[in-house]
Amino acid sequence: MVHHIEAYHDSVLRVKLQNECTDGDISYVHVVIESDVEISFPQVQLAWHYPAVNIQAYWHPGSFRNKSLGVDWSKGFSSKGTVVAPVGCFLSSDGRNRLAIAYSNAIETVNFNMGIREEDGTIRCQITLFSEPSKPMKRYEGTIRIDQRDIPFEQAIQAISYWYESMDAYRPCMIPKAATFPMYSTWYSFHQELVDKEIEEQCRMAKEIGCDTVIVDDGWQTTDNQRGYA
């Protein structure tokens, strides 16, 4: 499906949107933004609408327990290299993917604002670029990935993860073999109430079932065990 995406931007920029390829129900929209001179780019908003049919929840990497749909006039969330990823997924009540969206630039700040437009019952999807000052440049490129496959939503998210891993900028680092072994964490048995002899006994038993590493999770750095400390 080809998505009609509108670009809202300052007149000093030229924005080109191209549906590079469509793989079944997965679309890739390539974004090219250019300026005649090297400048810090002003904000660019990329927006489109999608029918809110059989959509009951919305997930993104920072949603935690909140899966509410939200509205198009909310602030959405901002993604960057240190805070979540530019990914959002609308799903049905039985956990099926209806619309999974990802943006290729997961390093610089990208704002995702996806929510119900009350006037027409659609999902308004808006990706805002350069909400924070950019480095001076003349050309910028990115890609929007849109997945409408009727699959379990966790599979749609996994496919986005693989998509990122295929890019040089996000190629996974080497994982040492030791990191794949089971570990014992004190949190689940002791929380903040650490008792050295009891931990040692737990470590002895954990060793017998293959745990070579213990994580002393909490309670070691302060005598305050009342929760909520800074």
Side-chain angles (χ1 to χ4, degrees), residues 54 56-57 91-98 150-154:
N54 194 21
Q56 288 83 37
L91 53 143
S92 62
S93 58
D94 58 351
R96 308 289 291 184
N97 173 56
R98 289 294 168 261
D150 181 16
I151 58 176
F153 90 97
E154 65 271 16

Side-chain angles (χ1 to χ4, degrees), residues 49 58 63 81 84 86 96 104 118-119 123 150 157 182 208 223 228:
H49 292 79
Y58 174 55
S63 60
V84 303
R96 308 289 291 184
S104 59
E118 299 170 57
E119 288 81 357
I123 300 289
D150 181 16
I157 300 303
E208 293 178 354
T223 57

Side-chain angles (χ1 to χ4, degrees), residues 175-206:
I175 300 174
K177 187 176 181 180
T180 66
F181 297 154
M183 298 183 178
Y184 176 85
S185 172
T186 61
W187 174 259
Y188 301 101
S189 298
F190 298 98
H191 301 280
Q192 295 173 321
E193 302 286 348
L194 297 184
V195 180
D196 52 1
K197 291 184 179 180
E198 293 182 9
I199 291 174
E200 290 169 5
E201 176 60 15
Q202 291 293 314
C203 288
R204 184 192 63 78
M205 293 188 291

Side-chain angles (χ1 to χ4, degrees), residues 2-217:
V2 176
H3 295 269
H4 180 66
I5 300 178
E6 295 283 353
Y8 303 92
H9 57 90
D10 191 284
S11 59
V12 299
L13 301 177
R14 297 185 301 276
V15 179
K16 300 176 183 178
L17 304 175
Q18 180 181 5
N19 284 270
E20 278 194 339
C21 61
T22 301
D23 181 12
D25 285 330
I26 303 178
S27 300
Y28 300 88
V29 180
H30 192 56
V31 181
V32 177
I33 305 174
E34 296 177 313
S35 169
D36 290 330
V37 295
E38 194 172 77
I39 59 171
S40 178
F41 279 11
Q43 277 194 19
V44 173
Q45 295 178 342
L46 308 172
W48 72 101
H49 292 79
Y50 184 83
V53 177
N54 194 21
I55 291 175
Q56 288 83 37
Y58 174 55
W59 177 94
H60 63 79
S63 60
F64 196 43
R65 296 189 179 96
N66 182 7
K67 304 298 189 297
S68 61
L69 288 179
V71 290
D72 66 334
W73 43 265
S74 68
K75 294 181 179 179
F77 72 91
S78 288
S79 161
K80 51 188 170 184
T82 56
V83 183
V84 303
V87 175
C89 182
F90 290 94
L91 53 143
S92 62
S93 58
D94 58 351
R96 308 289 291 184
N97 173 56
R98 289 294 168 261
L99 181 66
I101 303 166
Y103 189 67
S104 59
N105 191 334
I107 302 298
E108 298 165 321
T109 301
V110 176
N111 181 262
F112 260 45
N113 188 4
M114 315 282 173
I116 292 289
R117 176 176 166 80
E118 299 170 57
E119 288 81 357
D120 56 14
T122 62
I123 300 289
R124 187 177 191 273
C125 306
Q126 178 175 297
I127 297 174
T128 302
L129 308 176
F130 318 121
S131 59
E132 294 182 355
S134 73
K135 62 184 178 182
M137 55 186 169
K138 296 178 66 175
R139 182 181 175 89
Y140 171 94
E141 295 186 34
T143 300
I144 305 171
R145 184 184 188 276
I146 304 172
D147 185 348
Q148 298 173 227
R149 292 177 297 168
D150 181 16
I151 58 176
F153 90 97
E154 65 271 16
Q155 292 182 14
I157 300 303
Q158 184 181 51
I160 290 172
S161 178
Y162 292 152
W163 179 59
Y164 281 126
E165 290 178 8
S166 70
M167 305 178 202
D168 289 338
Y170 313 114
R171 197 176 305 281
C173 64
M174 188 277 293
I175 300 174
K177 187 176 181 180
T180 66
F181 297 154
M183 298 183 178
Y184 176 85
S185 172
T186 61
W187 174 259
Y188 301 101
S189 298
F190 298 98
H191 301 280
Q192 295 173 321
E193 302 286 348
L194 297 184
V195 180
D196 52 1
K197 291 184 179 180
E198 293 182 9
I199 291 174
E200 290 169 5
E201 176 60 15
Q202 291 293 314
C203 288
R204 184 192 63 78
M205 293 188 291
K207 175 70 174 179
E208 293 178 354
I209 60 174
C211 295
D212 287 330
T213 303
V214 58
I215 300 172
V216 183
D217 184 293

